[in-house]
Amino acid sequence: MIFSTIIKPVSVNRRTVPGQHRKLITSNEYRNTKTAMSMVFRNQYRGKPITEECAVYLTCGWKGFDIDSWVKIVLDSLQGIAYKNDKQIRFLQIAMGIHKIINIEVVEMSKL
């Protein structure tokens, strides 16, 4: 499966809510961006998500952007679309490109 988006990723920016059960809450910007990305990815792939272990290849062109920030939102956005859960990812390759576009390829490990 191949996906792409021009939506710029944002940081999670979690905050902790005090109380009996400490709870992490993501920022509104993160939730809105994740929802927008998921909608774009859902329009690019209408099949069922992979249920086996998979490999993910990512390329992003926003230089100076924190890699772990944009990887998290992209992987979260693909959950339920490309794969059931991001715990299935056994191989992850990340590359910084030159264009402001995110390209993603998701492949079942059994097909490598």
Side-chain angles (χ1 to χ4, degrees):
M1 288 171 246
I2 296 176
F3 301 91
S4 64
T5 183
I6 58 170
I7 298 172
K8 185 176 181 180
V10 297
S11 178
V12 175
N13 288 330
R14 294 181 186 183
R15 62 186 168 94
T16 304
V17 175
Q20 187 177 13
H21 300 285
R22 291 178 62 91
K23 185 176 178 182
L24 288 174
I25 298 181
T26 55
S27 68
N28 286 336
E29 184 182 25
Y30 178 85
R31 287 193 302 269
N32 293 340
T33 302
K34 180 183 162 199
T35 299
M37 279 186 170
S38 293
M39 289 172 60
V40 168
F41 297 149
R42 173 57 62 205
N43 285 331
Q44 294 174 14
Y45 180 71
R46 301 256 183 209
K48 293 186 178 184
I50 293 172
T51 56
E52 302 174 21
E53 294 180 340
C54 59
V56 178
Y57 303 88
L58 298 169
T59 305
C60 181
W62 279 281
K63 293 189 178 187
F65 200 71
D66 193 14
I67 286 179
D68 60 338
S69 293
W70 69 263
V71 169
K72 172 143 182 60
I73 195 168
V74 170
L75 296 180
D76 286 351
S77 298
L78 286 167
Q79 196 160 266
I81 299 169
Y83 40 79
K84 286 195 174 227
N85 191 297
D86 58 8
K87 292 178 183 177
Q88 294 169 242
I89 299 170
R90 293 293 173 251
F91 179 82
L92 176 63
Q93 180 176 322
I94 304 163
M96 296 304 287
I98 57 171
H99 302 290
K100 291 185 177 179
I101 187 168
I102 298 173
N103 292 306
I104 307 117
E105 183 175 2
V106 181
V107 182
E108 288 181 30
M109 291 294 284
S110 61
K111 295 184 179 179
L112 293 178

